[in-house]
Amino acid sequence: MKYRRFGKTELSMPVISCGGMRYQDQWNDMPWEKVPRAGQENIERVLAHALENGINHIETARGYGSSEMQLGYALKLFPRESYILQTKVGPEDKPKDFLRKFETSMKYLQVDQVDLFALHGLNNRESMTRAMRPGGCLEAARKLKADGRIKHIGFSTHAAPHEILELIESGEFEYVNLHWYFTNQLNTRAIEAAARHDMGVFIISPNDKGGQLYRPPAKLRELCRPLDPMVFNDLFCLANPHVHTLSCGAARPSDFDTHIAGLEYYDQAEEVTRPIVERIHAEVAKTIGPDWLETWHQGIPEWQHLPGRINVRDILRLWTWAKAIDLTAFGTWRYNMMSAEDNWIPGNRVTDFDDREMVEALRESPHAGKIPGLLREAREMFSGDKVKRLSENES
């Protein structure tokens, strides 16, 4: 395993982390007596395999169903000093409710202190206000830190890039959990800002939200040779020195193995990924146009300010990778979960809209005139039944 200094926390962080949202038995709290023995033994094997391979950062969240409770029992098998423990709790209107949830997490984890604690899901202005206002949940978390219950405070987010920048530039946090990987580089400025503030950077779900790379299409496999697409994505992220760890949400012990094997290229990350990046970029240029990758996202307002509150930017991102490298199944999955009422995958899918109104709203985009047609193409490409999500809290 390779390790990086996790910003101002000074923790030595493994570049692969053990994410805790896929190995639990239920997405709701459940009595310990009802946990299947086979399921609990699987978590124990996942943790053992992780720790044997130096993956000693274990993270979970209050919103991950039975994950915290099952983890608490499993961690009894391992010395406390052998792992870095992180959990996450979403902000509430009333800090007392937030603190009640925190105490539930600690009860389930069966610990007195966590190494890393995140305000979970600062995804929009409402949740940001709950956390940041005077007397809000961040102040409550700081009191927990002063009392020795928390060592380091960060936040996790699916917010718009400008909102993430605002949180980072506040200087109030020691680390951030965010999305950034090859197929979604919109948070590049946020990572650069985190580096200026000496914050740890934890990449959320690069294998799943990065394109369902555990079952990549044949075209992407070919473009990524000689690397597995997951290894390519790992190394692409780790070629950025400001990225410190990548979540691997393991459902079984073997889920770590491809990532561990890929670290043989760790010291040549930029060198081995460069030709793959060039091949994929060339495919985008051939399929869509030579200037598309550089300009597709420019001048697109946030979804709240567009006709029908359509999330044009993310739909175009999904369309780009489906069109160029066959990530159509992934795009269909993500597209059909979009909703303006959703804090985790916000903005509406393509509804009927007036072309002139849309073009006017996109007047700063170099592609304004053709985007209405692309949106309709994306709707056709990703049509299907709405995907039912297993959890409102993804990581």
Side-chain angles (χ1 to χ4, degrees), residues 138-310:
L138 177 59
E139 281 192 19
R142 292 206 178 285
K143 178 65 163 57
L144 292 171
K145 182 177 180 180
D147 291 343
R149 312 293 303 286
I150 293 168
K151 287 187 179 180
H152 305 287
I153 300 173
F155 70 97
S156 71
T157 182
H158 295 223
H162 73 279
E163 292 171 328
I164 298 174
L165 274 171
E166 180 181 332
L167 289 165
I168 290 171
E169 297 290 3
S170 74
E172 297 288 347
F173 298 98
E174 295 170 87
Y175 71 95
V176 57
N177 292 20
L178 50 64
H179 289 282
W180 187 86
Y181 25 77
F182 180 75
T183 60
N184 187 355
Q185 298 173 48
L186 295 173
N187 283 326
T188 296
R189 288 180 59 210
I191 290 177
E192 293 168 351
R196 291 195 300 273
H197 287 270
D198 195 22
M199 291 172 62
V201 173
F202 174 112
I203 301 301
I204 297 171
S205 193
N207 312 307
D208 198 28
K209 311 312 182 294
Q212 293 183 327
L213 299 178
Y214 40 80
R215 50 171 184 263
K219 185 173 184 179
L220 182 58
R221 282 190 180 278
E222 186 61 33
L223 288 166
C224 287
R225 290 187 187 280
L227 303 180
D228 181 283
M230 286 196 300
V231 172
F232 160 67
N233 196 47
D234 287 353
L235 296 172
F236 175 85
C237 293
L238 294 173
N240 186 329
H242 306 315
V243 168
H244 302 119
T245 189
L246 315 176
S247 177
C248 179
R252 59 195 66 80
S254 60
D255 286 349
F256 295 116
D257 293 347
T258 298
H259 305 283
I260 294 167
L263 292 179
E264 75 171 281
Y265 301 102
Y266 178 83
D267 293 327
Q268 299 85 38
E270 200 281 330
E271 178 184 346
V272 299
T273 57
R274 188 190 314 119
I276 299 172
V277 170
E278 290 172 354
R279 285 199 296 272
I280 295 175
H281 285 183
E283 193 62 27
V284 175
K286 181 179 74 174
T287 307
I288 305 174
D291 66 335
W292 181 254
L293 268 182
E294 297 297 323
T295 61
W296 71 268
H297 57 283
Q298 294 176 4
I300 299 177
E302 297 301 327
W303 59 268
Q304 297 94 329
H305 307 299
L306 289 168
R309 301 206 293 171
I310 298 171

Side-chain angles (χ1 to χ4, degrees), residues 32-45:
W32 168 246
E33 296 76 19
K34 292 191 176 182
V35 174
R37 185 60 210 160
Q40 189 63 20
E41 289 174 349
N42 179 62
I43 290 182
E44 293 167 4
R45 289 193 298 271

Side-chain angles (χ1 to χ4, degrees), residues 42-93:
N42 179 62
I43 290 182
E44 293 167 4
R45 289 193 298 271
V46 166
L47 294 180
H49 194 55
L51 292 169
E52 286 166 4
N53 285 279
I55 300 173
N56 64 339
H57 173 222
I58 300 163
E59 71 97 33
T60 183
R62 178 78 293 274
Y64 292 173
S66 62
S67 176
E68 284 180 322
M69 181 189 62
Q70 292 186 256
L71 187 59
Y73 281 98
L75 287 174
K76 289 182 175 182
L77 301 175
F78 308 96
R80 178 62 184 91
E81 65 274 11
S82 68
Y83 56 86
I84 299 165
L85 182 61
Q86 174 183 355
T87 197
K88 310 184 289 292
V89 174
E92 297 286 340
D93 282 329

